[in-house]
Amino acid sequence: MAPGALDYQSCRTTLQRPPFSFDAFRKYTEGCPGITPIQGYSPDDVMDWDQEIDVYFDDSVHQNPGFRRNLEFWERFVKPGGIICGDDYKPRNTDMLQEIHGLADTYGVEVKTFDEFWVIRKPLSFNRSAYASRGQHFRFLNPMRLFQDQGA
């Protein structure tokens, strides 16, 4: 192997995903200020939440009504300019795709993706109260259209 070349085999064994658990999450984020790890069923176990947040990362259920309930609950706490994001952006998760793109359409922004990770930035000027007072809800689209050009 040439000097400075990357040994992919050794990377494969050393860069394994960390164990999936609440304790692992706390361990890997312990040096990060401003993270409030919450263990429980969202949104039922956090109905008394009343603080604005900068980032909401969703890794919950992938079907409605659960995904919609989480997104609608937490979206209102995300500060203008904040981030709403999550994982498992896949064609099989049609409920998620509908809600994600419905929210992005409501905001007038695009969904950014990287592999299976998705991100929406909440606009600085979004007025949730005015939008809700018109009786609006996230608009839906056909999520499978998103993957037709990619051969999925």
Side-chain angles (χ1 to χ4, degrees):
M1 183 179 313
L6 183 60
D7 180 0
Y8 290 103
Q9 186 59 36
S10 66
C11 286
R12 182 176 292 137
T13 59
T14 59
L15 296 178
Q16 298 294 323
R17 290 184 176 193
F20 180 76
S21 70
F22 186 68
D23 289 336
F25 178 83
R26 288 193 347 214
K27 178 184 181 286
Y28 290 109
T29 60
E30 65 187 1
C32 302
I35 293 179
T36 304
I38 301 169
Q39 185 174 24
Y41 293 98
S42 177
D44 298 337
D45 290 349
V46 291
M47 294 304 281
D48 59 346
W49 187 270
D50 63 355
Q51 302 172 40
E52 283 191 317
I53 58 177
D54 295 305
V55 177
Y56 169 64
F57 180 86
D58 189 283
D59 188 20
S60 63
V61 298
H62 298 11
Q63 300 84 28
N64 284 332
F67 184 76
R68 178 183 294 146
R69 286 186 69 221
N70 274 326
L71 197 58
E72 288 179 344
F73 178 83
W74 289 107
E75 180 276 336
R76 62 189 165 146
F77 296 109
V78 176
K79 295 176 184 176
I83 300 291
I84 300 169
C85 58
D87 68 346
D88 294 328
Y89 187 88
K90 301 175 185 176
R92 71 174 183 235
N93 295 327
T94 56
D95 286 351
M96 276 182 55
L97 297 178
Q98 288 178 336
E99 299 299 333
I100 292 165
H101 284 273
L103 179 59
D105 188 47
T106 297
Y107 287 164
V109 300
E110 292 184 33
V111 177
K112 304 291 185 189
T113 61
F114 179 76
D115 292 328
E116 296 175 359
F117 182 77
W118 58 271
V119 178
I120 298 172
R121 181 176 293 274
K122 189 174 186 175
L124 292 172
S125 60
F126 183 70
N127 184 334
R128 187 175 195 279
S129 300
Y131 189 81
S133 70
R134 295 193 311 258
Q136 300 290 325
H137 190 277
F138 304 153
R139 294 187 312 205
F140 300 110
L141 54 82
N142 176 357
M144 298 316 293
R145 281 188 1 213
L146 303 169
F147 295 94
Q148 288 172 350
D149 295 335
Q150 299 175 16

